[in-house]
């Protein structure tokens, strides 16, 4: 048996880390198993304060969008073929988990530069800039994000206590032009994401007033 050649090829979801300036890809974090559910929360950026009553329909910027989902990592399949998966045999899921965790930490080199600035008496410590992260969930959803929260549950371990199965829960904050600006590479990617939403909305089936029990709108 050679498998099922007509079986559909499954597309993985994941995160792509790129250099904001050059756009060069630094790392691709592919999620081994796509989540069964994905939650999104959108909050309108509307006029607030005294102007809210005078301009109830005006928006000050794109909605604030938060994406939350859970994925599963499992090294069992790799351990069945140890000769071709030396890293999994030696360290289990530690590399995959570290790749996700690195999105929340400055690098050692960046921390050392900040330490040098403090020792030299610098009045202003340069904030650390991370790579730009793109969340990829199909061709219709490629959007710049910041990893806001990561929760890891390690479930099974090998004899050396390397994790071989884990569940990860990620909370992503979509970065819009309000966060990045129009000239930032991520800002352009967000505009493409928003443009794609508008194109998809145009393809949605149009409803009829009669379906809502109305013959027309009230005067």
């Amino acid at each position: 048996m050679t498998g099922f050649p007509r079986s559909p090829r499954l597309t993985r979801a994941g995160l792509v880390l790129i250099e904001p300036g050059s756009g060069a890809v630094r790392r691709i974090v592919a999620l081994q198993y796509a989540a069964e559910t994905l939650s999104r929360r959108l909050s309108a950026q509307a006029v607030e304060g005294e102007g809210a009553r005078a301009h109830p329909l005006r928006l000050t910027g794109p909605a604030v969008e938060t994406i939350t989902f859970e994925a599963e990592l499992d090294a069992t399949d790799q351990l069945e073929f140890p000769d071709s998966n030396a890293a999994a045999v030696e360290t289990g899921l530690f590399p995959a988990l570290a790749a996700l965790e690195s999105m929340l930490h400055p690098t050692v080199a960046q921390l050392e530069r900040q330490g040098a600035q403090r020792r030299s008496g610098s009045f202003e410590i340069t904030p650390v800039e991370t790579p730009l992260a793109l969340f990829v969930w199909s061709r219709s959803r490629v959007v710049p994000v910041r990893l806001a929260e990561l929760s890891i549950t390690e479930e099974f371990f090998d004899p050396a206590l390397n994790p071989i199965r884990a569940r990860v829960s990620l909370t992503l904050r979509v970065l819009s032009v309000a966060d990045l600006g129009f000239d930032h590479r991520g800002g352009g990617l967000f505009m493409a994401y928003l443009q794609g939403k508008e194109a998809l909305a145009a393809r949605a089936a149009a409803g009829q007033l009669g379906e809502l029990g109305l013959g027309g709108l009230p005067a």
Side-chain angles (χ1 to χ4, degrees), residues 19-209:
E19 292 290 348
S22 66
V25 175
R26 287 185 54 174
R27 175 177 291 152
I28 298 175
V29 181
L31 300 176
Q32 189 174 5
Y33 301 107
E36 294 182 359
T37 60
L38 181 145
S39 300
R40 298 189 298 125
R41 185 178 70 249
L42 289 85
S43 302
Q45 293 200 72
V47 175
E48 298 180 355
E50 295 181 1
R53 184 173 299 178
H55 304 284
L57 302 181
R58 294 189 180 275
L59 299 174
T60 60
V64 176
E65 182 175 359
T66 302
I67 300 172
T68 304
F69 65 96
E70 191 172 274
E72 184 177 304
L73 303 177
D74 195 331
T76 304
D77 292 342
Q78 299 174 54
L79 295 176
E80 289 183 3
F81 304 96
D83 292 341
S84 55
N85 295 285
V89 173
E90 183 181 355
T91 57
L93 290 175
F94 273 130
L97 296 175
L100 288 170
E101 293 176 52
S102 68
M103 296 176 61
L104 293 171
H105 293 290
T107 65
V108 170
Q110 289 171 328
L111 290 173
E112 288 177 341
R113 281 196 294 271
Q114 287 187 334
Q117 289 177 326
R118 291 188 177 93
R119 289 192 295 272
S120 66
S122 176
F123 290 104
E124 184 176 353
I125 306 301
T126 305
V128 170
E129 183 176 15
T130 63
L132 174 64
L134 302 180
F135 176 55
V136 180
W137 188 286
S138 83
R139 292 185 178 182
S140 298
R141 185 177 291 145
V142 180
V143 58
V145 297
R146 179 178 65 241
L147 179 58
E149 187 173 343
L150 173 65
S151 176
I152 301 171
T153 302
E154 300 175 5
E155 297 181 326
F156 293 99
F157 303 86
D158 65 13
L161 294 184
N162 296 311
I164 58 175
R165 185 181 299 173
R167 286 182 291 109
V168 294
S169 178
L170 297 92
T171 299
L172 307 174
R173 162 76 153 76
V174 172
L175 298 177
S176 72
V177 288
D179 304 299
L180 300 169
F182 287 92
D183 296 331
H184 192 281
R185 182 177 297 274
L189 290 167
F190 173 80
M191 293 296 284
Y193 170 65
L194 194 58
Q195 190 175 38
K197 282 182 175 290
E198 293 174 356
L200 289 171
R203 298 174 60 182
Q208 303 294 326
L209 287 175

